[in-house]
Amino acid sequence: MRAGVALGRLAGMTEKITRINPEQLHETPGYHHIAVVAAGRTAYLAGQCPLDRNGDLVGAGALEAQVDQVVANALTALAAVNAPPHHVVRSVIYVRSDERDDLGVVWSRLTESALGPAFTTASTLLGVAQLGFSGQLVEVALTVALPD
């Protein structure tokens, strides 16, 4: 269940950690899209998947379409914590492929997108055998230093 807040939906809170699921993103099976840590004002975004708000896969079999949905979801999550892409301090990019060309396509598409500044920081790009959702080809996890 989600409770509304100004910047998105707050799904639980302790003294030091706030977990948020923006209403513009799909519901999750128990995790949160964002965790904000009060000490140091850092946000940890869950791996953004190529799912629409209803949780449906976007771009089945189409790597670039899936990257575009991941970018849109990541920008929504960043906006929910008032952070621009250049405040990302770490990214991990997962691509379901063992082909370097596929990894290159994903990297290029990401860095040329509106989310591009997020990838000028510490970043890891991985080819993996499987991702969490059937048909999923791409996932991006971000760590963000929140603005004061």
PDB file of all heavy atoms in Angstrom, residues 55 137 145:
ATOM      1  N   GLY A  55       3.578  -1.681 -14.645  1.00  0.00           N
ATOM      2  CA  GLY A  55       4.423  -2.849 -14.441  1.00  0.00           C
ATOM      3  C   GLY A  55       4.564  -3.727 -15.662  1.00  0.00           C
ATOM      4  O   GLY A  55       5.053  -4.845 -15.572  1.00  0.00           O
ATOM      5  N   LEU A 137      15.934  -6.781 -20.709  1.00  0.00           N
ATOM      6  CA  LEU A 137      17.277  -6.763 -21.275  1.00  0.00           C
ATOM      7  C   LEU A 137      18.214  -5.770 -20.587  1.00  0.00           C
ATOM      8  O   LEU A 137      19.420  -5.873 -20.730  1.00  0.00           O
ATOM      9  CB  LEU A 137      17.212  -6.420 -22.771  1.00  0.00           C
ATOM     10  CG  LEU A 137      16.356  -7.339 -23.647  1.00  0.00           C
ATOM     11  CD1 LEU A 137      16.275  -6.796 -25.069  1.00  0.00           C
ATOM     12  CD2 LEU A 137      16.915  -8.756 -23.634  1.00  0.00           C
ATOM     13  N   ALA A 145      23.989  11.669  -4.583  1.00  0.00           N
ATOM     14  CA  ALA A 145      24.266  12.625  -3.522  1.00  0.00           C
ATOM     15  C   ALA A 145      23.220  13.714  -3.645  1.00  0.00           C
ATOM     16  O   ALA A 145      23.183  14.451  -4.630  1.00  0.00           O
ATOM     17  CB  ALA A 145      25.671  13.192  -3.668  1.00  0.00           C
TER      18      ALA A 145
END
